[in-house]
Each structure stands twice: as C-alpha cells, then as structure tokens.
Amino acid sequence: EEFDMLMNIHLKGVFFLTQALLPLINDSGRIINVSSGLARFSVPGSSAYAMMKGGVEVFTRYLAKELAGRRITANTVAPGAIATDFNGGHVRDDAEINRVVAGMTALGRAGVADDVGPMIASLLSDDNRWVNAQRIEVSGGMNI
C-alpha cells in the first residue's frame, strides 16, 4: 500500500501531470522535474523512493528528446537533504540528523528551500535555454 502511494505520487503523478499539461505548454517552454540525491547515492530504507526518482530522471531525458521539435527543454533538479517537512521534518527538526547531514555535505550544512528555488528559477529563464536533458544536483556537495 505504501509502495503504491509512493508510485502514484513520485512517478505516475509526474508522468500523467506532464501528459495533461503538454498541450498547454508553449513551444520553447520549460519542464523541470524534481528528483533526489537518493537517485545518486544509497541510503538503506530508501530504495523504493529512490528508484522512482531515478525513473523521473529517465523520463525527463526522454521528454527532452521527444519534445525537441517544439523546442521545449526538460531538466531534473535533484536536491540533497533539505530542512523541510519532507520525511516528517527529520532533517529540519532532529538536531542529530541535521548534524550528520552537515557532516556529509561539502558546504557543511543541510540545505534549505531557498537553496533550491533559485536553481529552478534559473532553469526557467531564457538565459538557460540551451540547458536540456540534464540532472542538476543542488546539494551543497552531499556525499562527494
């Protein structure tokens, strides 16, 4: 039941929402999907979620190729551990987990939402019109 819920949100939801919105996206538009650092490194207990995020990354590359005729770019932003409500707020609310994350991150801290938003905004700008089919990790250098 939990697997199906994750699948519906993190993979099927992305696929079917994109399918529904494609007729509304202008030519030369942008698609930005969200993955996770967990698609690059392994944390026990996260395999189902991580494989779905990996599927989003593959889907995004296919979108970039399939929508090239409309000049629509498709990229994936993959945040590292971000101090939000995600996963019960553990990174944000548990000082020990936050400390562990900071120790695994080159920049020495867990991320915050304001670390991810500017990357997404930059991908939406015309300045990045040539960025396509990329996975861009926004993690402060987590697990490098």
Side-chain angles (χ1 to χ4, degrees):
E1 191 173 296
E2 184 178 346
F3 181 89
D4 288 339
M5 180 195 68
L6 288 172
M7 178 68 82
N8 287 338
I9 294 168
H10 297 290
L11 193 59
K12 288 173 66 175
V14 173
F15 181 87
F16 290 114
L17 179 62
T18 303
Q19 185 180 60
L21 293 177
L22 273 176
L24 305 174
I25 298 174
N26 292 334
D27 289 353
S28 300
R30 308 277 184 270
I31 295 172
I32 301 171
N33 287 319
V34 178
S35 181
S36 170
L38 291 169
R40 178 178 60 84
F41 53 82
S42 300
V43 173
S46 300
S47 61
Y49 174 78
M51 74 178 193
M52 292 167 199
K53 290 302 190 176
V56 168
E57 293 182 16
V58 171
F59 176 54
T60 303
R61 288 194 305 270
Y62 271 82
L63 287 171
K65 185 74 166 182
E66 292 173 357
L67 300 174
R70 292 183 54 196
R71 298 172 317 282
I72 294 173
T73 64
N75 292 288
T76 304
V77 170
I82 307 295
T84 65
D85 291 341
F86 179 77
N87 200 20
H90 288 107
V91 174
R92 180 193 61 216
D93 301 336
D94 186 317
E96 179 59 20
I97 291 174
N98 194 289
R99 187 190 65 73
V100 169
V101 166
M104 298 174 1
T105 304
L107 291 180
R109 65 172 176 82
V112 296
D114 286 345
D115 293 326
V116 180
M119 174 51 68
I120 292 172
S122 73
L123 286 172
L124 293 171
S125 80
D126 199 47
D127 291 341
N128 284 309
R129 66 190 170 275
W130 198 240
V131 179
N132 196 21
Q134 301 303 303
R135 176 195 192 276
I136 301 165
E137 186 160 320
V138 183
S139 71
M142 188 172 192
N143 283 333
I144 57 171

